[in-house]
Amino acid sequence: MKNLFKPFAILFFVLAFVGCEKEKPAQIVNNDDISRTVIYSIGDNEGQRTLKNDSEWEALLDNFCDQSKQGEEVTFFSLGQHKSSAAKQRSTITTTNREELKQWMKEQEMAGKTVRVTFDSGTGTWNGTAYAAMPVVQGDDDCYTGVIECVEMPVDDYGYSTAMVPALRINDDTLLVLVKDGYTMLCGGDMGDDTITLCGVVESRQMSDGNSYLVLDLSVARESAIVGNWQLTDMFCNGSELQVGEVYLDLTDDGTASLSGTTTQVSNWSLSDEGTLCCDLIPYSNGCWNINWLSETIMIISCKVVGDDNCESLYIAQFQKITK
């Protein structure tokens, strides 16, 4: 498959090594001239903003805090600002201090992680989770219809919690506690009493008394979400934006892939349970890239490259899904 690397490398990364500088340690800086492009979702609304300086970044973080206090789930990822690859370990925070939360969000952004924040109005507590790659649960998609209820968090092996969490009531005997990215969601805002259908994977978790309860994992980055024709829109190396050509990556539901609308360079692709997209048509890191963002319209992937001089480079690529 190595002959497949060259066409994509020429189109995709023709200026990559020219534009890359040597890796510098990531650190929190206070420079009002630093710019960043932030991909974010607030509830069901997805957006993207290019910020010219740290003052605008500070204002956006304040808006994220405000939106979460209003019951919205906030998720964001920063393109191009960070210059180091994120550690694989998931990072979390629980705090009632707004400034502490903002400082933590800045640190996670600089570390190149995707950040998700919710707010528990009952306790006045912010809960944050940051990860380097989207957690992936393999298996068939299942959809369940019911009504959302706020219930007390089950007592599991991690101890007792009085937090109120949302759960999907399917029938009198079945209640599914909602989970995202390995983190149990919290009640917030108007849950409503309308019938709703949610899709994900049902898992059984053990309680401290020996009984079990069911969770519905909604944060599944599945093959079905990745299938489609994707156009490369942005490319960064160590925080510097690179020029990109008209590049298209077509990923089909039978596990094959082609480049730039042609079937002459056919390869396979797969999605690992560690949140990586692997395809021979994507060079570097054996063609396996972390998935930092995946929605119906946007996919962001990243990988670390260590050169012969032991210099580390971080590549980030943003794709837009093309509707045929």
Side-chain angles (χ1 to χ4, degrees):
M1 288 289 184
K2 292 188 179 296
N3 63 318
L4 297 177
F5 278 42
K6 292 183 179 180
F8 201 34
I10 292 173
L11 290 169
F12 199 148
F13 295 116
V14 64
L15 298 178
F17 285 110
V18 176
C20 254
E21 298 177 355
K22 289 192 174 182
E23 168 66 13
K24 299 177 182 179
Q27 56 183 343
I28 302 297
V29 294
N30 187 16
N31 184 343
D32 209 43
D33 293 329
I34 288 181
S35 63
R36 53 176 54 76
T37 298
V38 180
I39 309 293
Y40 63 87
S41 64
I42 299 175
D44 295 329
N45 298 317
E46 187 176 63
Q48 178 172 330
R49 283 187 59 186
T50 298
L51 309 175
K52 297 179 180 179
N53 50 54
D54 266 2
S55 298
E56 293 184 357
W57 174 225
E58 192 81 15
L60 184 61
L61 290 176
D62 275 321
N63 183 50
F64 288 161
C65 292
D66 292 339
Q67 293 291 335
S68 62
K69 285 193 70 172
Q70 294 175 21
E72 299 288 0
E73 181 181 276
V74 176
T75 307
F76 71 86
F77 177 78
S78 177
L79 283 165
Q81 165 61 14
H82 42 269
K83 298 185 178 181
S84 64
S85 58
K88 286 290 186 181
Q89 291 82 3
R90 186 166 59 99
S91 176
T92 61
I93 187 174
T94 299
T95 181
T96 58
N97 188 306
R98 184 189 189 99
E99 294 304 315
E100 182 183 8
L101 174 68
K102 287 168 58 180
Q103 180 65 19
W104 177 82
M105 289 193 289
K106 292 176 183 178
E107 293 171 355
Q108 303 312 310
E109 184 246 4
M110 287 297 295
K113 293 185 177 182
T114 303
V115 179
R116 176 173 281 115
V117 175
T118 59
F119 184 77
D120 183 355
S121 59
T123 61
T125 302
W126 277 283
N127 297 278
T129 306
Y131 49 88
M134 295 185 64
V136 175
V137 180
Q138 300 290 353
D140 295 332
D141 280 285
D142 290 307
C143 295
Y144 302 87
T145 300
V147 177
I148 299 293
E149 297 181 3
C150 275
V151 301
E152 189 172 298
M153 176 69 187
V155 183
D156 57 23
D157 291 336
Y158 296 99
Y160 180 76
S161 172
T162 58
M164 299 300 291
V165 298
L168 183 67
R169 170 72 65 181
I170 298 177
N171 52 48
D172 292 341
D173 300 322
T174 307
L175 193 67
L176 305 177
V177 175
L178 303 185
V179 172
K180 252 190 176 181
D181 301 323
Y183 173 74
T184 303
M185 300 172 66
L186 296 173
C187 290
D190 183 12
M191 305 301 294
D193 55 2
D194 295 333
T195 300
I196 188 173
T197 298
L198 298 175
C199 300
V201 170
V202 172
E203 301 171 353
S204 177
R205 293 190 177 179
Q206 196 74 15
M207 297 174 64
S208 57
D209 60 4
N211 293 319
S212 61
Y213 66 99
L214 298 176
V215 301
L216 177 61
D217 193 334
L218 305 175
S219 59
V220 183
R222 300 189 178 284
E223 286 88 344
S224 58
I226 297 178
V227 168
N229 190 247
W230 298 91
Q231 180 181 9
L232 178 67
T233 56
D234 288 290
M235 186 75 190
F236 296 86
C237 178
N238 289 350
S240 298
E241 188 171 4
L242 307 177
Q243 295 181 3
V244 296
E246 191 170 342
V247 177
Y248 296 88
L249 183 64
D250 193 17
L251 305 174
T252 64
D253 56 8
D254 64 359
T256 60
S258 60
L259 183 68
S260 292
T262 177
T263 57
T264 59
Q265 301 147 4
V266 175
S267 177
N268 296 321
W269 70 275
S270 62
L271 183 64
S272 78
D273 56 6
E274 296 181 349
T276 57
L277 170 64
C278 298
C279 177
D280 283 343
L281 293 177
I282 308 177
Y284 306 149
S285 296
N286 296 319
C288 291
W289 291 54
N290 288 336
I291 300 175
N292 303 102
W293 192 275
L294 182 63
S295 68
E296 294 180 357
T297 57
I298 295 175
M299 177 171 63
I300 300 173
I301 59 177
S302 65
C303 79
K304 177 179 68 174
V305 179
V306 179
D308 295 336
D309 57 355
N310 291 322
C311 172
E312 180 180 301
S313 297
L314 177 67
Y315 288 94
I316 301 175
Q318 179 180 357
F319 291 85
Q320 185 83 23
K321 180 169 281 189
I322 304 300
T323 304
K324 295 182 179 180

